[in-house]
Amino acid sequence: MVLMETRLGRRLTWSGGSLLSGIVSFSILFVPECEGPLWLRITLTMFGRFFVSAVYAIVLIYAVEVFPTTVRSFGVSLCCFIGTAGSILAPQVLFIRTVWEHLPEIIFSVLPITAGLLVLLLPETRGRKLPENLEEGEAFGRIQCRVQDHCCCVNMNTSSRRETYRHSKIETEPG
């Protein structure tokens, strides 16, 4: 996962890990519980858990980088709190099995797939200057890179000038 994170960036690695976790968790539904091999269900469960653990490590790095310095400690604390609350509530989802037998597997597959798709809306943080105040933090999310061009990004804000970012250096072009 570390090699993927350095090559693809944090956002795509997070998205890929979440999507794989959801797909693996969803595939458990197709292994019969009584007649199916137990080793297959355990293997799929462990792979799903592996991807969740890898994504959690990336989320902690990403949370530190995406929040501006002035609110970074609060933002990271909030992320850790929500993650801990999810860890506390996760075992309770198994009790939903009394409502419908396959509902826990569906919940444990839909949530990571949704997270994997939603994370694609967040900005990439790898190799970028971290925001130091709230204004830079708001602009941080508005910078979008051109397709297949990771070294040159265009600021998509509504100002009259166009700023091009090249390897953390800003060149201002009249717009």
Side-chain angles (χ1 to χ4, degrees), residues 13-131:
T13 306
W14 180 359
S15 177
S18 292
L19 290 172
L20 286 172
S21 172
I23 291 169
V24 168
S25 297
F26 188 73
S27 66
I28 292 173
L29 290 171
F30 300 106
V31 177
E33 209 168 313
C34 297
E35 304 92 38
L38 181 62
W39 64 268
L40 183 58
R41 290 184 68 84
I42 292 173
T43 303
L44 290 173
T45 303
M46 290 296 110
F47 271 113
R49 179 70 183 141
F50 165 75
F51 289 121
V52 167
S53 298
V55 165
Y56 188 71
I58 293 169
V59 166
L60 291 177
I61 295 170
Y62 190 83
V64 169
E65 293 178 344
V66 78
F67 290 111
T69 303
T70 54
V71 294
R72 186 166 293 144
S73 62
F74 177 75
V76 172
S77 298
L78 183 64
C79 289
C80 289
F81 171 75
I82 291 172
T84 303
S87 298
I88 291 170
L89 293 175
Q92 307 308 318
V93 172
L94 295 177
F95 292 122
I96 297 177
R97 193 176 294 273
T98 58
V99 175
W100 186 40
E101 182 180 349
H102 300 295
L103 193 55
E105 285 87 3
I106 291 173
I107 290 172
F108 287 133
S109 60
V110 167
L111 288 177
I113 289 172
T114 304
L117 295 174
L118 287 177
V119 76
L120 294 174
L121 300 175
L122 298 173
E124 177 59 57
T125 60
R126 183 180 61 100
R128 301 218 4 231
K129 181 182 175 290
L130 300 181

Side-chain angles (χ1 to χ4, degrees), residues 8-9 11-12 120-129 139-157 162-168:
L8 298 176
R11 187 179 62 155
L12 288 178
L120 294 174
L121 300 175
L122 298 173
E124 177 59 57
T125 60
R126 183 180 61 100
R128 301 218 4 231
K129 181 182 175 290
F140 189 71
R142 280 186 255 160
I143 297 173
Q144 298 178 355
C145 292
R146 293 183 209 143
V147 178
Q148 299 297 325
D149 189 6
H150 297 290
C151 68
C152 181
C153 300
V154 176
N155 191 345
M156 303 301 283
N157 64 9
R162 183 175 151 200
E163 295 177 351
T164 305
Y165 296 81
R166 295 186 189 274
H167 301 290
S168 299

